[in-house]
Amino acid sequence: MSLQKISHFFDKIRGQNDKQLEELRIRVRQLAKTCSLQTDLSRENLVVFIQDIFSGITSWFALQEDQVDQILDQLRRSLEGHAFDMDVFIACWEFWLRKDGTRKTALIVVDIQNDFITGSLALKNCPAGQDGYEVVPIINDILKQERFDLVVYTLDWHLPDHCSFIDNVSLYPLDPSSPVSAEDAKIYDTVIYSKPIVLKQKLWPSHCVQNSWGSELHKDLKPPEKSTIVVKKGDLSYVDSYSAFWSNGHYCTTELFGILLKHGITDVYVCGLALDYCVEFTSRDATQHGFNTFVVEDACCFICEKMCGDTKMEFKKAGIKLMKKTDLKSHLKQS
């Protein structure tokens, strides 16, 4: 299911007048504050909510049963987590009821930071031996095309006591199921922490510490413009965040999903470092949130060759499409 497909459910309303859409968006904001969906995201409660929203236009507009099911499925995917997120719920509805229902694109440039290129976690020192710098001129070429409605840069943004750093493993309680003890753990080992949720954690050298040289964007990458959105992830000490949308284990969110909805984005193109970690998790979460998702393969490097192969298989299962930089121009025109 895609956000844009659901948007088309409301094209009949969109074709009437802008005033009608604005009145419906106001009703969504008002009704969402008191609706039963906050405590029970059930089909029954969603049907009641929909009936209340569209009560004034039922003589000429109604959603089909299967359309209600698709809306419910997408809301559950986007609201996955530990609490009902009112802002996300409202943002989804405002996106579906926006005035301009046309396709819009975003480029997400993932973690082109010093530590991943020449610093403490340089990809060329990882098992695959790839040079992260090689993607910089390719991404710059993509950015120069200026074909996207929105550009997002992401940053790994860790505190010094972050749970992913090998030197900090003894600071956090391990679950009894952890395959490695804190005393025996080495770089690239995986431990299992018990708090705040039971979660696997791969151990890395200290990297991308907030406001350090290693956390800065590489100097040769085209600097962010005023309109560029910068999303910082992994900024909590006790949970990592490979994805630009969610922390690992979907424990908490970043602001990215709301930003993309606010800008009316329907299609997301992802590139950067590394394909088998932060690019993969960002892409998979983009798809879960309902965006049509594409990965520019030659604008990415990977850490582990086997994991890269597994990642591509997961992309195929999720409907994420791999493409080359040279395909972008024609693809963006045709889509």
Side-chain angles (χ1 to χ4, degrees):
M1 175 50 53
S2 74
L3 290 165
Q4 182 66 344
K5 182 178 179 181
I6 294 175
S7 292
H8 289 315
F9 296 169
F10 307 101
D11 281 349
K12 186 176 181 179
I13 304 173
R14 200 171 283 113
Q16 297 296 316
N17 58 69
D18 292 344
K19 184 179 178 182
Q20 183 74 74
L21 284 168
E22 179 56 31
E23 289 174 354
L24 290 171
R25 289 195 296 271
I26 291 171
R27 286 185 64 79
V28 165
R29 291 192 289 270
Q30 291 173 338
L31 293 169
K33 296 176 182 178
T34 57
C35 72
S36 301
L37 290 164
Q38 294 184 54
T39 54
D40 182 13
L41 189 55
S42 66
R43 191 183 194 283
E44 181 182 1
N45 287 339
L46 179 61
V47 168
V48 172
F49 181 74
I50 289 172
Q51 289 172 342
D52 288 344
I53 294 173
F54 300 105
S55 59
I57 59 172
T58 52
S59 61
W60 57 271
F61 175 81
L63 289 168
Q64 303 300 313
E65 292 293 315
D66 66 312
Q67 291 176 331
V68 174
D69 290 337
Q70 291 175 64
I71 290 170
L72 178 61
D73 179 66
Q74 187 55 61
L75 286 171
R76 285 175 170 169
R77 288 171 177 270
S78 294
L79 290 164
E80 180 186 348
H82 296 267
F84 183 90
D85 191 321
M86 178 67 69
D87 291 337
V88 169
F89 179 79
I90 292 173
C92 285
W93 279 101
E94 292 193 333
F95 176 89
W96 294 327
L97 295 170
R98 67 196 188 281
K99 295 177 184 178
D100 181 3
T102 59
R103 173 179 180 269
K104 290 189 177 181
T105 61
L107 177 69
I108 301 180
V109 180
V110 177
D111 298 359
I112 308 299
Q113 293 165 270
N114 288 327
D115 269 344
F116 296 128
I117 297 175
T118 55
S120 61
L121 192 43
L123 266 68
K124 59 187 175 183
N125 297 326
C126 293
Q130 293 206 318
D131 186 352
Y133 182 80
E134 292 180 357
V135 305
V136 174
I138 298 172
I139 293 172
N140 284 342
D141 284 345
I142 294 171
L143 291 166
K144 287 174 185 175
Q145 295 177 24
E146 297 182 347
R147 298 182 182 277
F148 297 93
D149 296 291
L150 184 70
V151 174
V152 178
Y153 283 14
T154 77
L155 295 174
D156 239 16
W157 197 248
H158 299 317
L159 290 165
D161 63 348
H162 194 256
C163 64
S164 72
F165 299 168
I166 182 66
D167 293 338
N168 295 333
V169 66
S170 62
L171 301 180
Y172 300 91
L174 294 185
D175 190 77
S177 63
S178 180
V180 182
S181 68
E183 294 77 15
D184 295 332
K186 303 182 293 295
I187 290 176
Y188 305 138
D189 279 348
T190 296
V191 296
I192 300 178
Y193 290 126
S194 61
K195 294 181 180 179
I197 56 175
V198 176
L199 196 63
K200 290 182 179 180
Q201 176 64 58
K202 199 172 189 71
L203 299 174
W204 309 100
S206 174
H207 63 279
C208 298
V209 174
Q210 295 178 14
N211 300 309
S212 67
W213 170 86
S215 68
E216 294 174 4
L217 291 168
H218 193 277
K219 63 181 180 59
D220 291 341
L221 180 70
K222 186 176 184 289
E225 299 179 352
K226 286 186 178 180
S227 59
T228 302
I229 303 295
V230 178
V231 172
K232 296 174 179 178
K233 58 187 180 66
D235 55 344
L236 299 174
S237 295
Y238 52 83
V239 63
D240 208 353
S241 184
Y242 297 148
S243 170
F245 291 94
W246 290 90
S247 67
N248 293 359
H250 285 189
Y251 181 72
C252 54
T253 65
T254 71
E255 70 272 30
L256 181 55
F257 182 45
I259 290 170
L260 297 180
L261 290 178
K262 181 180 178 181
H263 284 82
I265 300 301
T266 59
D267 295 14
V268 164
Y269 295 77
V270 189
C271 61
L273 306 174
L275 180 67
D276 45 343
Y277 277 91
C278 295
V279 170
E280 175 187 358
F281 280 77
T282 297
S283 301
R284 288 169 61 179
D285 282 348
T287 299
Q288 177 166 333
H289 276 309
F291 299 106
N292 302 315
T293 306
F294 308 86
V295 173
V296 188
E297 187 175 1
D298 52 348
C300 302
C301 285
F302 52 85
I303 288 175
C304 173
E305 192 164 356
K306 181 185 181 303
M307 287 189 62
C308 181
D310 294 342
T311 293
K312 291 179 181 180
M313 290 177 62
E314 290 299 321
F315 283 168
K316 187 175 182 179
K317 290 179 186 177
I320 299 167
K321 297 177 176 64
L322 286 166
M323 63 190 316
K324 302 292 185 183
K325 185 200 80 170
T326 52
D327 299 327
L328 270 174
K329 184 176 179 180
S330 59
H331 186 270
L332 289 168
K333 280 185 178 179
Q334 293 170 6
S335 298

